[in-house]
Amino acid sequence: MTQTSSEAIIARLLLPDDANPAGNVHGGTILRLMEEAGMITATRYMASSFPKSENGDGNCSIAALVRFETMSFLKPMFVGEVASLSARIVFTSEHSVLVEVVVTAEDVSKGKTRVTNSGQLWYVPLAPGGEGTQKDWKQAKVVQVPQALPPKDEKGRKEYEAAKMQYEKRKSLQNGDNEATSLECLGLDKFRAEYVAPSDGRSPSESEQVLCQIVLPGDCGKGGVAFGGFVMKLMDNCAGCSAFRHCRTNVVTVAISAMDFVGWIKLGDLCTIKSKVVFCSAKSLEIEVVASVSSASAIGEEATVAKGLFSFVSIGTDGKALAVPPLRLETEEDMHAAFLGHQRYADAKRARAARENNKK
């Protein structure tokens, strides 16, 4: 099956239940829709690429989300509009598929459409374990992905090569880089020496938030595994609470980076989300979010299943961005987290500047 034939498009009318207090659609709602579109495309590609068994079933039945690579909130979306999501395969590795999802909002009464969100999601193919006809989703396993050929058109080929480079860079970082670690330590010492605690600042502990929810049947797909979008929506809700505690104004999600799923969340699990502010610039704040689960068979034990970084801005009553209260660092953990956040912020600024230069 080709990347093109696996593309998916879904659409939904946005209702009042989808809105935040300011009236625009909640970021968590958009995240869940994006994950659904990505899951359909990844599953369609992987399931149709595997050889069929005698009963006509493919060896791979579902695609599971393992990483949200990038996510940009470009423009707000409002109640009454139609959200349309298109998803397509960008790149494949040995055991994973990268899907790009683009979201548009349509005002059907005016016939106007605009792009509101874009993101890239990584999925792995899950197949039930067991032998012969005795398939068991409780023993689900990750299987190999049939490789997609690089696109022939110039734009598609550039996207493919960029995704490949990004994938290889992340793999090298996961394998460890002692030189980068040493440079980080030097930078942290300088950051610590130059830091001056603001008199009007608010500490990370003041923004800490905890949300809990039991995983229900409607939150799960085949095999009783929770949809990635269900978890992302909870994480966005929790991050939004932390942003509100820090800013004490209306807040909106503007970006997500480096969200990794390191374990499965299953039907009946208790899912706990914890969040806190780790870095602030003049007009944005970054929030670290961690999801964990505990099950009835292991009461008292929690396993981390997902981690992510959410960026928010504070919005005034006129709809414009406000200055964000500074962050007052109280512990060495706060200092290290803020230093890493400052590095990410600086890297993002350099990347934006490079893109602007390339346009000229």
Side-chain angles (χ1 to χ4, degrees):
M1 189 178 201
T2 65
Q3 296 99 305
T4 303
S5 58
S6 65
E7 291 179 2
I9 298 176
I10 64 174
R12 183 164 81 79
L13 178 66
L14 298 167
L15 304 173
D17 286 349
D18 299 317
N20 63 18
N24 46 312
V25 174
H26 197 285
T29 298
I30 300 170
L31 289 174
R32 186 160 189 170
L33 289 172
M34 291 180 73
E35 200 280 323
E36 287 177 7
M39 182 270 294
I40 292 170
T41 292
T43 299
R44 182 178 287 165
Y45 171 78
M46 293 187 287
S48 300
S49 298
F50 284 101
K52 304 293 183 180
S53 59
E54 292 181 1
N55 61 5
D57 294 330
N59 290 328
C60 173
S61 296
I62 60 171
L65 180 68
V66 291
R67 181 177 173 86
F68 211 128
E69 189 71 50
T70 59
M71 169 60 176
S72 299
F73 287 79
L74 307 173
K75 294 181 180 179
M77 191 178 291
F78 302 99
V79 172
E81 295 182 323
V82 175
S84 297
L85 301 93
S86 60
R88 62 188 180 89
I89 305 295
V90 176
F91 174 77
T92 57
S93 70
E94 184 179 1
H95 292 101
S96 58
V97 172
L98 179 63
V99 181
E100 181 182 65
V101 181
V102 177
V103 186
T104 59
E106 179 186 4
D107 184 333
V108 291
S109 64
K110 297 180 180 179
K112 294 183 178 181
T113 302
R114 65 191 184 282
V115 176
T116 59
N117 306 80
S118 64
Q120 293 186 334
L121 303 85
W122 285 97
Y123 291 84
V124 296
L126 282 184
E131 299 295 333
T133 58
Q134 302 300 316
K135 300 296 184 182
D136 185 3
W137 277 104
K138 293 181 179 180
Q139 302 177 37
K141 57 184 180 181
V142 176
V143 294
Q144 194 168 6
V145 175
Q147 297 302 288
L149 296 175
K152 295 181 179 180
D153 63 287
E154 184 178 357
K155 181 181 178 182
R157 189 168 59 253
K158 286 183 177 180
E159 291 177 342
Y160 179 91
E161 292 301 328
K164 182 179 179 180
M165 186 181 301
Q166 188 179 52
Y167 170 76
E168 291 175 346
K169 179 181 178 180
R170 193 174 77 249
K171 281 192 68 176
S172 67
L173 291 174
Q174 289 173 341
N175 292 333
D177 188 337
N178 292 330
E179 182 180 355
T181 302
S182 299
L183 290 173
E184 178 186 309
C185 291
L186 291 173
L188 176 58
D189 290 340
K190 181 181 179 182
F191 181 81
R192 186 188 294 108
E194 295 177 349
Y195 172 73
V196 177
S199 58
D200 58 342
R202 293 170 186 163
S203 68
S205 61
E206 292 179 76
S207 67
E208 289 180 352
Q209 181 66 51
V210 179
L211 296 180
C212 297
Q213 186 163 327
I214 294 290
V215 181
L216 303 175
D219 305 320
C220 300
K222 189 176 290 186
V225 177
F227 291 116
F230 158 75
V231 185
M232 288 194 296
K233 186 173 182 179
L234 288 180
M235 293 175 75
D236 184 72
N237 287 350
C238 196
C241 291
S242 287
F244 177 82
R245 286 180 181 277
H246 184 83
C247 299
R248 300 169 193 177
T249 63
N250 182 44
V251 292
V252 294
T253 316
V254 292
I256 299 172
S257 61
M259 181 186 289
D260 288 295
F261 289 78
V262 296
W264 310 123
I265 302 175
K266 298 182 179 180
L267 177 64
D269 284 348
L270 174 63
C271 185
T272 301
I273 315 293
K274 297 179 181 179
S275 63
K276 65 177 180 180
V277 177
V278 293
F279 171 75
C280 290
S281 68
K283 288 193 174 182
S284 67
L285 60 162
E286 186 179 68
I287 296 165
E288 179 184 70
V289 189
V290 178
S292 60
V293 296
S294 57
S295 63
S297 59
I299 296 176
E301 298 181 11
E302 280 195 347
T304 298
V305 292
K307 296 180 180 180
L309 295 166
F310 289 66
S311 296
F312 281 75
V313 294
S314 173
I315 300 295
T317 53
D318 59 356
K320 296 182 180 180
L322 300 173
V324 172
L327 195 61
R328 187 178 70 253
L329 308 177
E330 298 180 323
T331 67
E332 184 59 28
E333 180 184 350
D334 292 346
M335 186 69 67
H336 189 254
F339 166 68
L340 294 178
H342 181 268
Q343 283 191 315
R344 288 187 293 267
Y345 178 74
D347 289 344
K349 283 187 69 174
R350 284 192 290 269
R352 285 196 298 270
R355 287 195 297 269
E356 290 301 320
N357 288 333
N358 290 335
K359 291 178 181 178
K360 293 178 181 179

